[in-house]
């Protein structure tokens, strides 16, 4: 047992000796990076490439598709976090869920595509929580209940 005890210096040399994970750039022949983002029941297929910051969702401008400013802000958060606002063109196809879930799915897809395009951005996006898939989904309705947990109104008489 005494032989297994290590000092702090031994641990530092052991950690320094291990090779760090080197992430490689993933781009197609047109110079785009692709990622899939998910939130609730929405799935977004996202392609990013260097450009002027144009965002297209289901062949429509982002201002027309997501009319609420909060949803548009949600989509641009990954670019703001890594100081890349206006540097990439985004094309995405979204289906399923509602507008809020679709905006979250696009944000998740943009974040993943940014890490594939530029692996050095991963620590910034990871610490911001953009790469974590929000796994919360709607709870199913149970029998004998009005909704998932809501009971019918009780009347004593």
């Amino acid at each position: 047992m005494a032989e297994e005890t290590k000092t702090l210096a031994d641990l530092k040399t052991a950690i320094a000796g291990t090779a760090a994970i080197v992430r490689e750039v993933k781009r197609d022949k047109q110079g785009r990076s692709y990622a899939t983002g998910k939130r609730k029941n929405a799935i977004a297929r996202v392609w990013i490439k260097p450009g002027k910051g144009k965002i297209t969702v289901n062949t429509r401008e982002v201002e027309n598709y997501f009319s609420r400013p909060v949803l548009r802000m949600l989509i641009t958060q990954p670019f703001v976090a890594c100081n890349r606002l206006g540097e990439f063109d985004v094309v995405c196809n979204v289906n399923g869920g509602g507008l809020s879930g679709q905006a979250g799915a696009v944000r998740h897809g943009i974040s993943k595509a940014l890490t594939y395009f530029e692996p050095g951005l991963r620590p910034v996006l990871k610490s911001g929580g953009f790469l974590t898939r929000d796994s919360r989904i709607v709870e199913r309705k149970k029998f004998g209940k009005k909704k998932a947990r809501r009971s019918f109104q009780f009347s004593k008489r």
Side-chain angles (χ1 to χ4, degrees):
M1 282 262 195
E3 295 173 15
E4 292 179 22
T5 310
K6 294 185 177 180
T7 64
L8 190 59
D10 294 339
L11 287 174
K12 285 182 182 177
T13 56
I15 291 172
T18 59
I21 298 172
V22 178
R23 303 195 185 276
E24 61 183 51
V25 177
K26 295 180 184 176
R27 295 183 195 155
D28 61 5
K29 293 175 183 174
Q30 286 123 2
R32 303 175 302 180
S33 287
Y34 168 79
T36 305
K38 295 181 181 181
R39 172 118 201 318
K40 292 186 177 180
N41 283 335
I43 299 171
R45 297 180 295 152
V46 179
W47 290 267
I48 65 165
K49 64 179 180 179
K52 298 181 180 178
K54 183 180 176 187
I55 301 175
T56 309
V57 181
N58 289 353
T59 68
R60 298 192 336 208
E61 291 294 322
V62 71
E63 290 82 17
N64 296 335
Y65 196 85
F66 295 112
S67 56
R68 284 189 279 170
V70 174
L71 298 179
R72 289 196 300 267
M73 182 219 37
L74 198 73
I75 290 172
T76 57
Q77 276 181 338
F79 294 122
V80 173
C82 53
N83 297 324
R84 299 289 191 273
L85 192 61
E87 293 184 19
F88 290 99
D89 287 343
V90 178
V91 177
C92 57
N93 294 332
V94 191
N95 57 9
L99 284 178
S100 173
Q102 287 182 351
V106 170
R107 180 181 99 156
H108 186 227
I110 288 173
S111 304
K112 284 173 63 177
L114 274 172
T115 59
Y116 295 149
F117 194 89
E118 212 173 318
L121 299 176
R122 184 174 171 84
V124 176
L125 293 170
K126 185 107 171 125
S127 65
F130 298 115
L131 298 177
T132 306
R133 195 256 199 248
D134 191 356
S135 61
R136 295 176 295 173
I137 56 169
V138 179
E139 190 176 349
R140 78 171 191 88
K141 182 196 174 302
K142 280 76 169 189
F143 59 89
K145 299 277 187 181
K146 193 167 185 141
K147 292 167 57 176
R149 297 186 183 198
R150 169 93 164 91
S151 298
F152 293 102
Q153 185 173 353
F154 175 74
S155 175
K156 199 168 194 178
R157 291 182 186 83

